[in-house]
Amino acid sequence: MYFTAPRVLVVDDDAVIRQLVVVNLELEGFEVHTAVDGADCLERVHEIAPHVITLDIMMPRVNGWDVAARLRDDPATADIKVIMLTARAQEADIKRGARLGVDYYLTKPFDPDMLIGVVSRLAAGQPV
């Protein structure tokens, strides 16, 4: 039996944040792919087939809300675990994420250990 590292798609238009997330997840053994915005995510999600997506909200072309909704509406991507990783910390934003079926809502600045723990549990099919 072969172990395949869980695949994570990191979607953020900020290159510094994107790289910070990538480095932290790769150090934990995840196979990490990136997308520079929501449109890039939607174009690549089927080829990457990630187990987990970290998704910013405020991005050009297609924002995180629309990406999350489209992922949930597509039977091929509806079961991918989605973590909103965003600076938007208002209660209304968190509730909107829940309505869209987001699996976890993590605000920036974030604790890398917290992110790793959430990604690990979601990738393993465990509750967070």
Side-chain angles (χ1 to χ4, degrees):
M1 185 165 121
Y2 295 98
F3 171 76
T4 303
R7 283 178 307 283
V8 181
L9 178 56
V10 176
V11 186
D12 200 306
D13 61 319
D14 183 321
V16 174
I17 298 290
R18 205 169 48 243
Q19 190 58 30
L20 176 65
V21 175
V22 167
V23 167
N24 278 283
L25 293 175
E26 284 181 341
L27 285 171
E28 295 299 316
F30 291 98
E31 177 185 325
V32 185
H33 301 264
T34 61
V36 297
D37 61 30
D40 190 26
C41 170
L42 293 170
E43 289 165 10
R44 302 187 60 217
V45 69
H46 294 283
E47 75 182 56
I48 295 168
H51 299 93
V52 178
I53 295 174
T54 67
L55 185 59
D56 189 19
I57 292 173
M58 297 175 287
M59 297 183 291
R61 299 201 297 164
V62 181
N63 68 44
W65 298 126
D66 291 342
V67 172
R70 290 187 202 179
L71 291 170
R72 291 298 180 240
D73 287 344
D74 181 347
T77 59
D79 293 331
I80 297 172
K81 302 300 183 189
V82 176
I83 300 169
M84 282 298 196
L85 183 57
T86 179
R88 296 191 59 143
Q90 299 295 321
E91 187 65 29
D93 295 317
I94 296 168
K95 287 179 179 176
R96 184 174 181 184
R99 282 194 307 274
L100 287 171
V102 169
D103 296 282
Y104 199 81
Y105 199 100
L106 190 59
T107 56
K108 298 175 188 173
F110 62 93
D111 175 352
D113 290 334
M114 174 75 133
L115 175 65
I116 290 163
V118 171
V119 171
S120 296
R121 286 191 293 280
L122 289 176
Q126 300 172 347
V128 182

